[in-house]
Amino acid sequence: MKKHIFSLSIILANLLMWAIAYPHISDQVPIHWSSSGEVDRYASKMEAMLTMMGLLVFLYIMMILTPKLDPRRKNYQLFSKTYHLLINAMLLLFFLINLLVVMTGLGYDLPTGSIVPVLVGVLLIVIGNYLPRVRSNFFFGIKNPWTLSSDAIWKKTHRFAAKVFTAAGLLIAADGLFSISEGMMLPIILITVFAPYIYSYVLYRKEMDVKS
C-alpha cells in the first residue's frame, strides 16, 4: 500500500484543488494550447474538471491493472521501483497541467507557451534516465515485435531510447525557456517516438542476418 500513497495523494490534492476553485472558475476554461502557447480549445468548467480528473484516475487504474494483465508480469518485479516512479512522474505532470488549467480558469495570465514545454521536457528527461531499467513487457517502454523478440534487442533499444528521450527533453525544455523555434516540440516528440522503433528494427535485421 505504501507505493500507492504518493499516487493517491496527487489524485486527492487534485480533487481538493478543483473543489475549492470550482465556484470561482469562469464558465469557459482553456484546456489546450498550441505549440506557440495560444489557446486553441475551450471547454465548460464541468467538462474541464471531469476530463482532467479522469486522466489522473485512468492513469492510476492502468498503473494497478497493467502488471496483472501483462503475460510477462513477473518481469515487473525486476523494475517495480522504476515502474512506480515513472507512473508517479506522469501523474505529477498531469497534476501540474490541472493546476495550469485551474489557474487560467481563475483569470491568471500564465506563460503557458513556456510552462508546458518545460514540464514535458522534464518528464522526458526523467523517463530517459530510467528507461534502461525497464524489463521486457507488453505495456511499458519501447514495445514492438522486434524488442519483444529478444532481451538483447530490448536492452539495446532502451539504452538508445534513454539517450534520445534525454536529448529531446533538454531541447524541449530549452525551447520553453528561451523560445528557440516556434512549433519545435511536436517534431521533436515524433522523432523521439519513432527513432527507437527504427533502431530496434535495424537491430532485429542484424540479428536475423547473423543467425542466417
Side-chain angles (χ1 to χ4, degrees):
M1 184 62 191
K2 289 183 179 179
K3 60 187 176 183
H4 295 281
I5 291 176
F6 186 76
S7 305
L8 291 172
S9 297
I10 291 176
I11 294 173
L12 179 59
N14 199 66
L15 180 60
L16 289 173
M17 176 178 68
W18 274 103
I20 294 170
Y22 191 84
H24 311 288
I25 294 177
S26 58
D27 292 334
Q28 292 294 309
V29 183
I31 61 170
H32 194 272
W33 292 264
S34 67
S35 56
S36 61
E38 298 294 325
V39 178
D40 57 13
R41 187 187 168 194
Y42 287 86
S44 68
K45 61 181 180 179
M46 176 61 73
E47 180 187 351
M49 181 182 70
L50 293 176
T51 300
M52 302 307 291
M53 277 298 306
L55 286 172
L56 279 171
V57 174
F58 175 77
L59 184 57
Y60 176 70
I61 292 173
M62 290 305 298
M63 178 187 79
I64 297 173
L65 293 180
T66 295
K68 298 179 181 180
L69 298 174
D70 199 319
R72 298 182 181 178
R73 61 180 64 88
K74 291 183 179 179
N75 282 355
Y76 284 80
Q77 298 173 10
L78 303 176
F79 69 102
S80 177
K81 290 183 179 179
T82 296
Y83 176 70
H84 285 92
L85 186 148
L86 293 177
I87 293 293
N88 285 332
M90 287 187 277
L91 283 170
L92 184 58
L93 172 67
F94 282 121
F95 170 76
L96 293 173
I97 293 175
N98 267 264
L99 179 60
L100 183 63
V101 170
V102 168
M103 295 295 287
T104 305
L106 290 172
Y108 291 93
D109 186 15
L110 301 175
T112 55
S114 297
I115 295 173
V116 173
V118 170
L119 292 178
V120 172
V122 170
L123 178 64
L124 289 176
I125 293 170
V126 171
I127 292 174
N129 276 274
Y130 285 92
L131 264 181
R133 303 184 187 184
V134 176
R135 295 296 177 261
S136 179
N137 69 90
F138 284 87
F139 287 102
F140 203 79
I142 313 300
K143 56 234 175 289
N144 58 46
W146 312 300
T147 56
L148 292 171
S149 70
S150 162
D151 283 341
I153 294 176
W154 178 279
K155 291 177 182 178
K156 289 179 182 178
T157 298
H158 281 72
R159 285 198 293 266
F160 171 77
K163 297 175 183 177
V164 174
F165 272 65
T166 301
L170 290 171
L171 285 172
I172 291 173
D175 182 44
L177 291 172
F178 306 112
S179 300
I180 298 172
S181 175
E182 185 175 337
M184 181 176 168
M185 185 162 68
L186 181 59
I188 292 177
I189 289 177
L190 290 175
I191 292 171
T192 303
V193 170
F194 286 108
Y197 275 76
I198 297 171
Y199 182 75
S200 65
Y201 177 73
V202 172
L203 291 176
Y204 174 78
R205 293 304 310 170
K206 286 182 178 179
E207 188 174 280
M208 291 299 100
D209 289 342
V210 170
K211 289 182 179 180
S212 61

